[in-house]
Amino acid sequence: MNLTFLGLCFACFGVSIAEGLIMSNLFKAASRQPEIIGQLRSLLILGIAFVEGTFFVTLAMAFVIK
C-alpha cells in the first residue's frame, strides 16, 4: 500500500516538472514572438491536458492496484 502512494507521489512530481517546463517554454516563445500568443495558448492548454490526463490515469491505476 505504501509503494502505491510512493508511486503516486512520483507521478505528481513528474506532472509538476512537466507543467513547469511547458510554462517556461511558453514564456520564452511569447517573449520572442508576441504576435503568436493565441496559437501558443491553445497549444499550452492541449499540452497541459495531456500531462494532466496521464496523471489521472496514474491516479486511477494507483487506486485499482490498491
Side-chain angles (χ1 to χ4, degrees), residues 1 3-9 11 55-66:
M1 183 168 153
L3 289 177
T4 303
F5 292 114
L6 180 65
L8 189 57
C9 290
F55 170 71
F56 286 128
V57 168
T58 305
L59 178 66
M61 291 307 295
F63 286 116
V64 167
I65 291 172
K66 179 184 132 181

Side-chain angles (χ1 to χ4, degrees), residues 20-55:
L21 289 172
I22 289 172
M23 289 302 294
S24 70
N25 288 326
L26 172 81
F27 290 144
K28 287 178 189 176
S31 67
R32 288 186 192 128
Q33 294 181 343
E35 65 272 2
I36 63 167
I37 193 70
Q39 294 171 348
L40 293 175
R41 187 178 303 122
S42 62
L43 289 174
L44 166 79
I45 292 169
L46 184 65
I48 288 181
F50 282 131
V51 170
E52 289 290 329
T54 304
F55 170 71

